[in-house]
Amino acid sequence: MAHNPNAPQNPQGTPDPAGSTQMFRAFVDEGGPQRPAAVQGSSGPRIGLIVGVVAVVAVVAAVAWLALS
C-alpha cells in the first residue's frame, strides 16, 4: 500500500484504514459518468423487460385457454 503522509493517523500511529477507501472513492468519482445520466439510460431495458413479461403472460394465457377449451 502506498504511503500517504496526509492520511489521518490513529493514536498508535498506524494509518487509518478508511483513508484508502476515501482515496478509492475519490479516484472512482473523478471523471466518471454522473448517476442521473445512468438512471436516464436505464429506461430502455426496463421497457423491454415489461414488454417481455406481458408477452409471456399472453402466451401462457393463450395456451391455457386452448388447453381448457
Side-chain angles (χ1 to χ4, degrees):
M1 187 160 141
H3 176 67
N4 184 359
N6 297 326
Q9 306 255 329
N10 65 15
Q12 290 81 22
T14 57
D16 180 19
S20 62
T21 303
Q22 292 168 355
M23 288 186 289
F24 175 74
R25 287 182 180 165
F27 171 76
V28 170
D29 290 340
E30 123 188 338
Q34 300 299 321
R35 289 192 185 265
V39 171
Q40 291 174 350
S42 67
S43 63
R46 186 175 299 151
I47 290 173
L49 179 66
I50 292 171
V51 169
V53 168
V54 169
V56 168
V57 169
V59 168
V60 168
V63 168
W65 180 69
L66 288 173
L68 297 175
S69 61

